Every structure is written in structure tokens, then in C-alpha cells.
């Protein structure tokens, strides 16, 4: 099982930016995709973005398209989520997950990701 460490959350004003990082203890060939999910109080966990490490193909939720960018530094075993033009509704605990499915088809399905990090809080004030 891959161990994941998410970081980079914080408090930011609406319109601001944050970059989240997800560092993995080790990646194997089977760890084909990495996803970012978020969960706000009283809401279900939502798939935000996902990247296939093999070819860089990605998935974005409609709510974040054009504002968030996912990228992978394979040499550092790290996946980033650059978040810009943040809105109060982006406030949530953000989790990274590994060992997931092909992002192009199932990137938002949290049930298909085997390993999870501990989460990092993102708070966007209005």
C-alpha cells in the first residue's frame, strides 16, 4: 500500500491561490493514477481532479475546470494541485488518493482508489 502525505492547505481570501502537494512513499507501476478529492462539512466526498502518471491524462470536476491544475513530478513521487481563483465553496478538507483507475473514465470515483492520505484543510474566506 502506498503511503501518502498531503500538504499545502490553509486560509486564503476568495480569488486567491494555493498549491497542494501529495507525496507518496513509493510508486509502483500499479499506482497508475492519483486523485484529489474534497469533503466539506455535511457533504459527500467529491472527486476534484485526477492524473494518470503514465501519460499525464487528467480529469477535472466541472466545478473546478479552468481554475485548478493537476500535475505530477514522477521523479519526486509528488502530485500537485494548483488552485486559483478560489471561491468560498471550495472550502473543504482535501485528500489525495492513489492506486486508482484510469482518470479519463473513473477519476471521480473515490471507491476505486486504494490508498488515501490524511487530508489538508482549505478554507476560502469571502
Amino acid at each position: 500500500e502506498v503511503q501518502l502525505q498531503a500538504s499545502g492547505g490553509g486560509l486564503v481570501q476568495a480569488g486567491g491561490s494555493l498549491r497542494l502537494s501529495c507525496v507518496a512513499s513509493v510508486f509502483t507501476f500499479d499506482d497508475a493514477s492519483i486523485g484529489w478529492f474534497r469533503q466539506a462539512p455535511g457533504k459527500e466526498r467529491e472527486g476534484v481532479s485526477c492524473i494518470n502518471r503514465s501519460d499525464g491524462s487528467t480529469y477535472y470536476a466541472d466545478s473546478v475546470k479552468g481554475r485548478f491544475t493537476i500535475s505530477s513530478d514522477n521523479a519526486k513521487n509528488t502530485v500537485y494541485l494548483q488552485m486559483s481563483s478560489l471561491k468560498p465553496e471550495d472550502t473543504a478538507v482535501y485528500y489525495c488518493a492513489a492506486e486508482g483507475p484510469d482518470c479519463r473514465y473513473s477519476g471521480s470515483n473515490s471507491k476505486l482508489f486504494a490508498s488515501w492520505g490524511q487530508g489538508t484543510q482549505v478554507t476560502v474566506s469571502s
Side-chain angles (χ1 to χ4, degrees):
E1 181 177 319
V2 177
Q3 293 185 346
L4 304 170
Q5 180 72 37
S7 62
L11 173 64
V12 64
Q13 288 187 334
S17 299
L18 283 173
R19 188 177 77 161
L20 305 184
S21 299
C22 176
V23 181
S25 57
V26 61
F27 280 130
T28 67
F29 180 75
D30 289 337
D31 300 328
S33 65
I34 308 296
W36 284 99
F37 296 80
R38 66 186 181 187
Q39 189 165 20
K43 295 187 176 182
E44 294 185 355
R45 188 167 294 188
E46 172 191 17
V48 175
S49 185
C50 178
I51 186 167
N52 288 342
R53 297 178 70 250
S54 58
D55 63 7
S57 52
T58 58
Y59 157 83
Y60 293 97
D62 288 342
S63 58
V64 307
K65 281 181 181 176
R67 300 189 298 122
F68 291 10
T69 302
I70 192 169
S71 61
S72 177
D73 185 334
N74 292 352
K76 295 182 178 180
N77 284 347
T78 302
V79 171
Y80 303 98
L81 185 68
Q82 178 67 47
M83 306 186 296
S84 302
S85 301
L86 283 162
K87 304 175 181 180
E89 51 263 44
D90 294 318
T91 296
V93 178
Y94 283 70
Y95 301 88
C96 61
E99 302 180 274
D102 190 321
C103 293
R104 295 168 293 180
Y105 310 116
S106 303
S108 64
N109 190 337
S110 62
K111 296 179 181 179
L112 300 180
F113 287 79
S115 299
W116 290 81
Q118 85 289 358
T120 184
Q121 175 71 46
V122 172
T123 303
V124 184
S125 62
S126 58

